[in-house]
């Protein structure tokens, strides 16, 4: 209970901070609009197939996430508050508080990208909503989990801006391939059972990534 | 509570900052850490706070003969340092409430917040964002955060930095009211060092 209350305190602190500063939300919003506008210009009115649409959807989510999710630790290092957090809360509390914030931010991100896609691309029709929404949920959990530990690593490094997407890609490539595959199935109107294998892969990814990150975090966070 | 530092050495990138520092401080005692710029005073305090790991040696806190774990140490430690910043986008009161929830899962009592903010002359500005504070006011707020839970161990790194006469008087009161706690002060100010019963001098430093 104590740990849960302290973890929620880290989450509340980050939510209030984000509401006040809009560091991550503004970056995410601008990136979504810019990326989708560029895709629309490149397509010149063509209607891409479901494979291309699903691929572009997750490319936008990935790169938008990379622009915003790293702020969670970088802002603490830049403002000099990382040591204050280290002093007050154990690493596990900080990790799960930050992870919860990144999950919420990623859910907002995928909801935003979905809304923009539904308006901007007439061919983006979700024919099996159950597959689509489970994919969004598990994809968000996986992306947030990977992004949180990589953000913690990158925050300690010198060249933060370039390092984040470079480090992230090999870690999330399995996740991206799986969510793209499942999204195609939802756009093609396949049965829910057709995506079960993808969901098993995604659940395994989330569990392994979260457990591994939790074990690694203390060594990344201190010193 | 007893703080024991045994043969602590710290090396950064092959450069040894200090080596084989050892001392024991009991509750009610104070110790001054002195030395030239770069001698490692702040590094030593970070090690005592558990924020850095010593390259060699160990730091131990004991209560009634049993060694305290990291969580017990965290709960009984207050630290004022130029390296510890507060959240600029929150007010003083919001900082106190959020930070106390992170430290102990309980929101700091309003009466205690009021008492501490009044003592350090910040009560009138309690609802202003910390970004609007002067550096001296931020230093005072760090004292409030450090002292809010009445810690058994108080680490002060450059205790009078940025403070005016009233701020220095408030810090003097902290010294005087620390009879039950362990007080560790890193300073180059001779008068501050002389208030402490014990002294450890870090020999090497910037040349």
């Amino acid at each position: 209970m104590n740990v849960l209350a302290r973890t929620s305190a880290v989450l509340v602190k980050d939510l209030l901070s984000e509401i006040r500063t809009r560091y991550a939300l503004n970056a995410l919003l601008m990136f979504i609009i810019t990326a989708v506008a560029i895709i629309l210009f490149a397509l010149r009115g063509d209607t891409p197939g479901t494979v291309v649409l699903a691929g572009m959807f997750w490319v936008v989510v990935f790169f938008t996430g990379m622009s915003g999710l790293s702020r969670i630790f970088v802002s603490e290092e830049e403002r000099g508050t990382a040591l204050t957090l280290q002093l007050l809360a154990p690493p596990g509390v900080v990790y799960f508080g930050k992870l919860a914030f990144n999950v919420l931010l990623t859910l907002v991100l995928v909801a935003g990208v979905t809304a923009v896609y539904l308006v901007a691309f007439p061919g983006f029709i979700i024919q099996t909503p159950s597959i689509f929404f489970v994919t969004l949920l598990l994809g968000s959990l996986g992306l947030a989990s990977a992004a949180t530990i990589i953000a913690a690593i990158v925050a300690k490094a010198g060249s933060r801006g370039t390092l984040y997407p470079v480090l992230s890609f090999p870690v999330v490539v399995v996740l991206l391939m799986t969510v793209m595959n499942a999204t195609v199935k939802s756009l093609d109107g396949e049965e829910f059972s057709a995506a079960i294998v993808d969901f098993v892969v995604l659940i395994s990814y989330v569990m392994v990534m979260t457990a591994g990150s939790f074990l690694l975090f203390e060594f990344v966070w201190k010193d | 509570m007893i703080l024991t530092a045994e043969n602590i050495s710290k090396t950064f990138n092959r450069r040894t900052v200090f080596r084989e520092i050892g001392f024991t401080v009991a509750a009610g005692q104070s110790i001054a850490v002195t030395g030239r710029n770069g001698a490692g005073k702040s590094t030593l305090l970070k090690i005592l706070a558990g924020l850095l790991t010593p390259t060699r040696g160990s730091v131990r806190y004991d209560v009634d003969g049993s060694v305290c774990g990291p969580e017990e140490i965290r709960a009984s430690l207050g630290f004022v340092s130029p390296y510890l910043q507060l959240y600029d986008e929150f007010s003083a009161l919001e900082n106190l409430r959020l930070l106390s929830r992170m430290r102990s899962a309980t929101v700091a009592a309003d009466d205690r917040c009021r008492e501490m903010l009044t003592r350090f002359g910040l009560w009138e500005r309690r609802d202003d964002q910390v970004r609007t504070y002067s550096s001296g006011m931020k230093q005072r707020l760090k004292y409030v955060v450090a002292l809010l839970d009445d810690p058994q161990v108080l680490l002060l790194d450059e205790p009078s930095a940025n403070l005016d006469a009233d701020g220095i008087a408030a810090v003097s009161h902290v010294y005087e009211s620390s009879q039950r706690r362990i007080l560790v002060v890193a300073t180059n100010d001779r008068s501050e060092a002389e208030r402490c019963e014990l002294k450890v001098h870090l020999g090497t430093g910037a040349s």
Side-chain angles (χ1 to χ4, degrees), chain B residues 50-145:
Chain B
L51 297 174
L52 282 178
T53 310
T55 309
R56 275 187 294 278
S58 65
V59 174
R60 201 177 66 238
Y61 291 87
D62 300 278
V63 175
D64 299 330
S66 59
V67 179
C68 297
E71 203 48 42
E72 286 173 271
I73 295 169
R74 194 173 278 115
S76 52
L77 203 79
F79 193 6
V80 177
S81 161
Y83 297 101
L84 294 172
Q85 302 298 329
L86 301 171
Y87 292 94
D88 274 358
E89 66 273 28
F90 298 134
S91 69
L93 263 182
E94 287 170 332
N95 264 290
L96 294 182
R97 287 172 180 156
L98 286 167
L99 297 178
S100 65
R101 273 195 71 197
M102 279 188 236
R103 193 206 309 252
S104 60
T106 53
V107 179
D110 287 347
D111 289 349
R112 179 67 176 161
C113 290
R114 182 182 185 130
E115 179 197 341
M116 294 306 296
L117 286 170
T118 304
R119 184 188 298 175
F120 283 89
L122 293 173
W123 178 248
E124 301 298 320
R125 299 282 305 273
R126 64 190 178 280
D127 292 321
D128 293 352
Q129 287 191 2
V130 172
R131 73 170 83 248
T132 66
Y133 283 17
S134 69
S135 53
M137 292 167 74
K138 287 179 182 173
Q139 178 76 348
R140 289 172 185 224
L141 185 56
K142 289 179 190 177
Y143 273 96
V144 176
V145 171

Side-chain angles (χ1 to χ4, degrees), chain A residues 1-2 5-6 8-10 12-13 16-17 20-21 76 79-81 83-91 93 222-223, chain B residues 10 46 49-53 71 74 77 79 83-87 89-91 94 98-99 101-105 129 131:
Chain A
M1 197 61 193
N2 188 299
R6 295 169 79 183
S8 73
V10 175
V12 168
K13 188 272 292 175
L16 286 175
S17 179
R20 297 260 165 96
T21 62
E76 300 278 4
R79 293 184 297 173
T81 50
L83 276 180
T84 310
L85 260 187
Q86 282 180 27
L87 185 72
L88 296 176
V93 164
K222 293 193 82 177
D223 278 8
Chain B
K10 185 65 185 176
K46 284 181 188 170
L51 297 174
L52 282 178
T53 310
E71 203 48 42
R74 194 173 278 115
L77 203 79
F79 193 6
Y83 297 101
L84 294 172
Q85 302 298 329
L86 301 171
Y87 292 94
E89 66 273 28
F90 298 134
S91 69
E94 287 170 332
L98 286 167
L99 297 178
R101 273 195 71 197
M102 279 188 236
R103 193 206 309 252
S104 60
Q129 287 191 2
R131 73 170 83 248

